[in-house]
Each structure stands twice: as structure tokens, then as C-alpha cells.
Amino acid sequence: MKLNIGVIFGGVSVEHEISVISAHQVINALDKEKYNVIPIYISKDQDFYFENSYFDIKTFTDLSKAVAAGVKVVFKKVQSKVEMHYAKNKLFSSKMKDIDIFFPVMHGTNGEDGKLQGMLEMLDATFVGPDTKSAVNGQDKVFMKSILAHNGIKIVDFEWLYKTDYYENEDDIITSLIKKLHFPMIIKPASLGSSIGISKANNIDKLKEAIDYAFQYDTKILIEKVIDNLCEVNCAVLGDYSEQITSDIEEVFQSDEFLSYEDKYQSKGSKGQGMAATKRVIPANIDTELTSKVKTLAIDGFKVLNLSGNTRIDFLIDKNTREVYLNETNTIPGSLAFYMWESSGMPFSELCDRLIKLAIKRKREEAKNITTFSTNVLENFDGSKTSKKMG
């Protein structure tokens, strides 16, 4: 019997359109002999929609028309199943389909940061990719880097700021940043991807401008030291806490001083291929020693952050010192980094199969955990102010 796979994409994120591209790459890669694929689109108004025309990415060239064409849906836990229903009741039944497994292909805010995963966990659903905890750890760069540093994994020196603290103490904070990090610096929103909101500063005016820009996208930002003579490489890790494999390493090239949104998605010849169209070399032009170091650090970082599914981990290599720094993690990477796995000998359809198997494995393991505790503690409470206090 085929499994019903609900591919979720879109969402309230600056990476909305990138999610649409990645999701359709997944939809096309899923083996239709094994799976009934159900495209589930989240509009920029946070509503869920289904429509058969959503199989065609051209439907989304006009997002308002895509929404108008769709049927608004909701999800309900019914006994051991998760069902997709019409949001508005029909004459006889509102049920549309059972969803056996959800396959989120969401990037950034509200989809990759743990919010969608929390909703799916509340439904007791089986779903692909990171769970709530690992999504949060992987998306919030301040959490991620703090956890990595605490566990001895080398990262670039950084500072982080809340918006309110910065604008109340702007001059003192600017002075402190220059003293601790020195110019040049990279400024980033804490919880976005696709290089959105990122800029480089070489002087005080540019630093203030970059901080203002980053705060347009997030209430928390980080400021990092720049690595001179930089080589930027990525390695994908597939697995969970108990088993991991690494892809070939890619070396990526940028037209500016860091890999920009335009480099990733709007470069000449991209033709809607998402991250698959970025300028790269696979395998990377690094020696065996550096290759081994990157792959080891990739697995170490994956395990320390308790990640699961398919994560692309980005690294910075200082060509002068040969130091390798773990830069950031992408728990639902653009295009699912399928091109890195294909270089490693794993077809995209097999990558999707493995992700679905990992989701099923996690669900089976969670079912074995004790999640309730029988107690008579409520017998001590009668609802009055004189009820026995918790000790």
C-alpha cells in the first residue's frame, strides 16, 4: 500500500519562494510507485491550502492566484491517524485524506525554526526532518554557536545583540564590538537563512548601517569576525543521534565578499533551480587532511546539536592557518542539498526514501518512551485557596 506523503511548503517567511522551488524538486523526486504525494501550501497569510494544480510550480508564479485556486484545509488527530479536512464543512463529510507522513520543505522563519515541527508534534504526526528541539538549535545562530562552543567545536569569534539593548546603548556597544572583533565584521539576523539580511562592515558607519539592516529581519542579531583568505565549503549529514553519513564536500564561490542571496538563487542561468544552480565544485578542491577534518566536524556538530534528517553544514576554512570553523547549520537546506548526495552516489529519490525511513524510525522510538506518570497529586487539591501547596 502506498504511503500518503504531505509535502508542506511556502509559509510566512522571507524564504517563501525558495521553499516553493525546493518543495517542487522534492515532489518530482518522490517515487510515485511508493507514495501518493499531496502538495500542501502555506500562504503568506498562514493558511494551509491543497489543490491538484499545486503539482505544477508554474501555479506559483502568481501567489494570489495560487491561493484563490486552492481549498483551505486543516488537520485533525483522529485516533492514531492524522487527517486532512476541508476547513469549511461539506454536506456529508469534511475529511479529504489521511496523511501518513508529513514532509516539510520549509526554510527559515515559521517552518525551519521549530514552529511547524511543534504543531506536527502536537498532532502526534510522523514527519521528516528535524524535530522541534533540533530545529530550534539549528536555526537560531546564537543558540547554535553557543552550544557548539560549549562542546569544544571551533567557531568564529562572535557577539550577539537584542534590538532593545542595542538602541538603548548604541555608542557603548559599537565601541565594544570594535574592541572585541575588529574590522571587518559580518552582521547577520539570528534566525534567517538564504543570506537574507546579511552584510559586511569595514568602518563604523557601515557597521551601524549593517546592524540597522539586520534588525529589520530579526530582534536578535550576531556579529562575527571575518576570516581572511577564506575558503567556504559545505558538507551534508544524513541521519539521527545513532547513525550518520556524510556527503561529498562542496566548495562554493561567491561574486561578493560572502555568498549572497543573489549568488544562491538569482545568478545567471539559475532557471529556478534554487541552491542547485549555485556556482560550486564537488568534491571541493581541498586536500585529504582538510576533507577528513570537515567531515569529522560535520558529524560532531550534527550530534552535539541533536539534529536529525538531512542537514547541510557550512564551514569556513582559513587558508593561511588551515583552521576549520563550523559556520552554521541548515536543517532543511535549499534544494535539500540533493546535488551533494547525487555526487556521493545517492539519487534524489533515494535521499527522500531515507528521510521518510528516518521519520518512521523516530516515531517508533518515541512511541516506546514513557510520556505519562500516574499520580494522585490532584486528590490534595479542592480548588480553594487553602489547598495544599506544591512542595
Side-chain angles (χ1 to χ4, degrees):
M1 181 182 293
K2 292 183 181 181
L3 291 172
N4 288 344
I5 308 295
V7 178
I8 308 179
F9 58 98
V12 186
S13 167
V14 293
E15 299 173 82
H16 182 102
E17 286 78 2
I18 310 309
S19 169
V20 173
I21 294 171
S22 296
H24 281 81
Q25 291 170 328
V26 170
I27 287 169
N28 292 330
L30 283 164
D31 187 342
K32 307 307 184 294
E33 296 296 317
K34 297 178 181 177
Y35 312 117
N36 295 314
V37 181
I38 302 163
I40 301 167
Y41 172 61
I42 304 178
S43 72
K44 292 187 177 183
D45 294 326
Q46 299 183 320
D47 292 315
F48 290 72
Y49 291 90
F50 166 78
E51 224 292 314
N52 283 321
S53 65
Y54 290 172
F55 284 102
D56 186 353
I57 194 170
K58 293 179 181 177
T59 303
F60 297 92
T61 55
D62 186 326
L63 295 180
S64 60
K65 288 183 178 179
V67 168
V71 175
K72 194 178 294 188
V73 297
V74 295
F75 302 95
K76 298 180 180 181
K77 172 74 181 300
V78 180
Q79 296 179 340
S80 62
K81 292 182 177 293
V82 178
E83 299 177 350
M84 184 168 76
H85 288 245
Y86 292 101
K88 295 182 179 179
N89 288 335
K90 298 296 179 180
L91 182 59
F92 297 106
S93 173
S94 66
K95 178 180 174 180
M96 299 175 70
K97 301 173 184 291
D98 292 331
I99 308 292
D100 296 311
I101 299 173
F102 288 92
F103 200 131
V105 191
M106 308 279 288
H107 306 313
T109 311
N110 297 309
E112 192 180 359
D113 59 1
K115 294 175 184 174
L116 176 63
Q117 289 75 15
M119 184 201 85
L120 294 174
E121 288 182 2
M122 288 297 292
L123 283 170
D124 197 25
T126 304
F127 62 95
V128 165
D131 62 10
T132 302
K133 298 186 294 293
S134 57
V136 172
N137 289 343
Q139 184 67 19
D140 187 307
K141 296 178 180 64
V142 175
F143 288 173
M144 176 194 70
K145 289 176 182 288
S146 299
I147 294 169
L148 292 172
H150 180 76
N151 285 275
I153 294 176
K154 190 173 285 293
I155 59 171
V156 173
D157 291 341
F158 79 101
E159 298 290 324
W160 63 275
L161 304 170
Y162 283 125
K163 179 184 279 190
T164 51
D165 293 337
Y166 172 71
Y167 288 115
E168 289 174 1
N169 304 278
E170 183 175 341
D171 291 340
D172 290 343
I173 287 173
I174 291 292
T175 300
S176 177
L177 289 174
I178 295 170
K179 182 179 180 179
K180 291 178 179 178
L181 299 178
H182 310 291
F183 289 115
M185 306 175 203
I186 294 287
I187 299 86
K188 305 175 180 178
S191 298
L192 292 185
S194 295
S195 299
I196 293 171
I198 299 179
S199 48
K200 185 176 180 179
N202 294 286
N203 56 54
I204 291 178
D205 289 340
K206 289 293 185 183
L207 177 58
K208 290 182 176 181
E209 183 180 313
I211 290 173
D212 289 339
Y213 177 52
F215 274 136
Q216 292 180 33
Y217 294 96
D218 207 335
T219 57
K220 182 168 65 174
I221 66 171
L222 68 161
I223 303 94
E224 295 178 330
K225 178 182 178 180
V226 170
I227 300 297
D228 295 322
N229 201 14
L230 171 68
C231 174
E232 188 171 350
V233 301
N234 304 329
C235 181
V237 181
L238 177 66
D240 56 17
Y241 71 95
S242 65
E243 54 184 342
Q244 311 85 31
I245 60 171
T246 56
S247 72
D248 281 348
I249 297 170
E250 67 167 346
E251 181 177 357
V252 292
F253 303 96
Q254 60 269 21
S255 59
D256 206 339
E257 294 173 296
F258 59 90
L259 194 66
S260 67
Y261 182 94
E262 288 73 19
D263 289 322
K264 291 179 177 180
Y265 303 112
Q266 294 181 323
S267 58
K268 184 178 180 181
S270 63
K271 297 180 180 179
Q273 297 179 66
M275 276 296 290
T278 303
K279 296 177 182 178
R280 61 170 51 84
V281 171
I282 308 177
N285 290 316
I286 57 175
D287 59 38
T288 54
E289 181 184 356
L290 283 175
T291 297
S292 177
K293 187 180 289 188
V294 168
K295 290 194 172 190
T296 298
L297 277 175
I299 289 177
D300 289 346
F302 186 92
K303 293 176 71 174
V304 161
L305 295 169
N306 192 31
L307 302 181
S308 57
N310 172 39
T311 298
R312 193 192 76 233
I313 304 182
D314 302 347
F315 295 88
L316 307 175
I317 299 176
D318 186 326
K319 293 181 182 178
N320 296 325
T321 64
R322 293 176 60 83
E323 287 283 4
V324 179
Y325 301 90
L326 200 162
N327 186 39
E328 62 183 66
T329 58
N330 302 269
T331 58
I332 307 179
S335 300
L336 292 199
F338 75 85
Y339 43 88
M340 298 170 69
W341 292 109
E342 286 187 340
S343 173
S344 309
M346 185 187 302
F348 198 175
S349 60
E350 182 182 343
L351 173 62
C352 292
D353 285 346
R354 291 194 181 205
L355 286 168
I356 289 168
K357 288 176 182 177
L358 282 167
I360 294 169
K361 174 189 174 187
R362 178 173 63 204
K363 189 63 179 174
R364 287 174 176 166
E365 291 183 348
E366 288 174 351
K368 297 176 183 177
N369 294 336
I370 296 173
T371 56
T372 61
F373 181 67
S374 297
T375 174
N376 63 351
V377 66
L378 293 178
E379 292 181 5
N380 297 321
F381 290 82
D382 61 11
S384 69
K385 293 182 180 180
T386 59
S387 297
K388 187 182 292 185
K389 294 181 179 180
M390 294 289 288

